[in-house]
Amino acid sequence: MSDFAQPRLTLGRLTIHATLLLACAVYLVPLIVMLLTSFKTPEDIRTGNLLSWPEAFTGMGWLTAWDAVGGYFWNSVKIVIPAVLISTALGAINGYVLSMWRFRGSQLFFGLLLFGCFLPFQVILLPASFTLGKLGLANTTTGLVLVHVVYGLAFTTLFFRNFYVSVPDALVRAARLDGAGFFTIFGRILLPMSVPIIMVCLIWQFTQIWNDFLFGVVFASGDTQPVTVALNNLVNTSTGAKQYNVDMAAAMIAGLPTLVVYVIAGKYFLRGLTAGAVKG
């Protein structure tokens, strides 16, 4: 019986691998088209097909694209870094309190906070605009940071709370008996073991904030807009002959940071998501 089972197993694995490779190839076709087009001249684009090799590689499309969106690229950096760090830090503290220092009504509070995960972007546009106007932060980078921190807080709190619930209660009780206080337990016990879920929050928030378009186009204007809005303006407001090489290069510039983050830290994201799956 084993003599017949082995060929079937091998054939099954080959079928699975072939299917995955085919799916991967299909998934990568748009990326390949973008890369090839970004290095082509306008003449190559007009005379060749989407997957044709450039007659002569040129970086002019990338230079032109950077001139158009480079300043907005750094706007996104200025928005993403503080928003990611602040929302992750606040989410860690919230998750710690809701899991280890429960108070009367904490479950209700967590439920209401969790409700924020299901609110669509469009629902908060008017309240957020009103609040930013009252604070004098309308059309500013600081205002965009505040919006992303508040909106992302529900997700980061959920991630940390679910992770800390899996930590043995005896560990925290022993620390309390030894005289450890609120911040001592958090900083010396829980925070060092929170690296997996911290990576999840950093990657999640980075991706959500960097790829955001709606908040950027509504709450920012002019030189304060993020790169996603600049890319949209470049593609849809260009005059004269369409420069597809420039558009593709600009799209690659806007998408490279998230691509790099997932290539480098994607494995940590998957590990972090399952790190608190089993209590104890």
Side-chain angles (χ1 to χ4, degrees):
M1 184 174 180
S2 60
D3 294 337
F4 292 97
Q6 187 62 33
R8 291 180 181 176
L9 183 61
T10 302
L11 180 60
R13 287 185 176 180
L14 288 176
T15 303
I16 293 174
H17 290 168
T19 304
L20 291 176
L21 287 174
L22 179 61
C24 183
V26 172
Y27 185 80
L28 290 176
V29 165
L31 178 62
I32 295 173
V33 170
M34 290 176 64
L35 278 174
L36 291 176
T37 304
S38 68
F39 288 106
K40 291 180 181 179
T41 62
E43 292 75 16
D44 284 343
I45 297 174
R46 285 194 296 268
T47 58
N49 57 62
L50 290 176
L51 292 174
S52 63
W53 203 254
E55 291 291 334
F57 279 88
T58 175
M60 290 304 299
W62 285 80
L63 294 176
T64 305
W66 181 254
D67 289 339
V69 303
Y72 302 97
F73 180 93
W74 295 117
N75 285 345
S76 291
V77 173
K78 295 175 184 177
I79 295 168
V80 165
I81 293 178
V84 169
L85 295 179
I86 294 173
S87 60
T88 301
L90 293 178
I93 295 175
N94 286 346
Y96 168 53
V97 171
L98 291 173
S99 59
M100 301 294 178
W101 297 78
R102 296 176 184 174
F103 51 89
R104 178 174 295 182
S106 60
Q107 292 300 320
L108 175 62
F109 177 79
F110 176 67
L112 294 175
L113 186 64
L114 188 61
F115 185 69
C117 296
F118 304 98
L119 287 177
F121 287 0
Q122 294 82 354
V123 172
I124 68 171
L125 291 182
L126 288 179
S129 298
F130 178 80
T131 303
L132 292 179
K134 288 295 184 179
L135 295 176
L137 299 176
N139 297 324
T140 64
T141 300
T142 304
L144 265 179
V145 171
L146 178 61
V147 170
H148 283 298
V149 168
V150 172
Y151 191 83
L153 197 57
F155 294 95
T156 57
T157 300
L158 172 64
F159 293 153
F160 276 101
R161 188 260 184 188
N162 288 347
F163 180 82
Y164 288 147
V165 164
S166 67
V167 176
D169 296 334
L171 187 65
V172 178
R173 286 199 299 267
R176 290 179 181 176
L177 290 175
D178 290 338
F182 180 90
F183 289 105
T184 302
I185 296 175
F186 178 68
R188 295 189 178 183
I189 298 177
L190 290 182
L191 201 58
M193 37 189 317
S194 303
V195 174
I197 202 63
I198 289 175
M199 293 300 299
V200 169
C201 289
L202 291 179
I203 297 173
W204 173 272
Q205 282 295 88
F206 182 92
T207 305
Q208 296 298 312
I209 297 172
W210 185 274
N211 292 335
D212 169 69
F213 173 79
L214 185 60
F215 287 167
V217 76
V218 172
F219 300 127
S221 63
D223 295 336
T224 63
Q225 291 177 330
V227 68
T228 50
V229 179
L231 175 62
N232 177 75
N233 295 338
L234 173 67
V235 172
N236 294 310
T237 61
S238 58
T239 58
K242 193 67 174 175
Q243 295 180 303
Y244 290 103
N245 56 338
V246 176
D247 293 345
M248 295 298 180
M252 290 297 301
I253 291 172
L256 273 176
T258 51
L259 179 63
V260 171
V261 165
Y262 269 103
V263 168
I264 295 177
K267 60 181 179 181
Y268 301 107
F269 184 77
L270 295 177
R271 290 176 185 174
L273 284 177
T274 58
V278 179
K279 184 174 178 62

